[in-house]
Amino acid sequence: MEKAPLVVKHCSIRMILALVADRNMELEQLDVKTAFLHGELQETVYMQQPEGFVKDKNKVWLLRKSLCGLKQSPRQWYKRVDEYMLHIGFTRSKFDSCVYIKFKNDQILAYLLLNVDDMLIASGNISEIEIMKLLLQAEFEMKDLGPAQKILLDGDN
């Protein structure tokens, strides 16, 4: 099974932070609620009925959507968000698959960094960030954390 690249590289975050500081850009943060539940399963997956919901011990449930804890969940979430980012006009970075870039007339309008279920959006234009937030919130249930205050990193990448 292919591993989902859910964690933005540290050097990508450092590069974006340097651009934000150098070009006086805005940096906003979003958190996707229940991100792993947005993934569509491609495999047939059955599970035992959870305690408290058992109606017939001889039956199992067929999952139609991804759940937290499934090995497939991170990969399916990444595929879902990646398809959506490309659909709304972003380009995936060739260096880091968790960095998306929005171009207009060969000019970079914005950057989006995906770190599991957290997103950072950087742009010189706050209205561009607001448009991006609306597009993302129309597709995924999200919490708008406003201007980035703290960035938590996972592991060493």
Side-chain angles (χ1 to χ4, degrees):
M1 179 185 329
E2 174 187 330
K3 186 176 179 188
L6 284 177
V7 181
V8 67
K9 295 177 181 178
H10 291 181
C11 55
S12 297
I13 294 172
R14 287 192 299 268
M15 181 204 62
I16 293 299
L17 292 176
L19 284 172
V20 166
D22 184 60
R23 298 183 182 169
N24 199 26
M25 298 168 77
E26 303 290 333
L27 183 67
E28 298 272 325
Q29 193 166 17
L30 296 163
D31 178 63
V32 182
K33 295 181 181 179
T34 60
F36 289 171
L37 301 182
H38 291 285
E40 299 289 332
L41 290 174
Q42 294 178 334
E43 305 86 0
T44 302
V45 178
Y46 294 95
M47 69 175 270
Q48 292 179 339
Q49 297 176 59
E51 238 179 79
F53 290 94
V54 177
K55 293 188 179 177
D56 182 345
K57 291 184 180 184
N58 297 320
K59 293 188 177 182
V60 292
W61 288 356
L62 170 64
L63 294 182
R64 294 186 182 157
K65 289 273 218 182
S66 186
L67 289 177
C68 294
L70 287 179
K71 289 181 183 179
Q72 298 92 327
S73 294
R75 176 173 40 101
Q76 295 310 113
W77 159 242
Y78 175 78
K79 286 172 87 171
R80 174 84 170 78
V81 74
D82 182 65
E83 287 172 5
Y84 186 70
M85 295 306 296
L86 299 176
H87 173 74
I88 62 172
F90 279 80
T91 302
R92 184 185 327 106
S93 167
K94 292 177 183 169
F95 172 72
D96 186 337
S97 59
C98 288
V99 173
Y100 296 88
I101 307 163
K102 180 82 170 205
F103 292 95
K104 184 175 183 182
N105 301 327
D106 292 331
Q107 296 290 320
I108 295 175
L109 288 181
Y111 299 91
L112 183 137
L113 283 66
L114 175 66
N115 197 46
V116 188
D117 61 351
D118 293 315
M119 295 179 179
L120 289 172
I121 304 171
S123 178
N125 184 342
I126 192 68
S127 62
E128 187 63 37
I129 292 176
E130 294 304 323
I131 291 168
M132 290 172 56
K133 285 181 182 181
L134 289 174
L135 288 168
L136 290 163
Q137 290 168 339
E139 190 69 14
F140 308 108
E141 187 179 352
M142 307 191 86
K143 183 175 181 183
D144 185 347
L145 301 174
Q149 301 292 320
K150 190 183 296 186
I151 301 167
L152 300 176
L153 302 174
D154 298 329
D156 295 322
N157 61 3

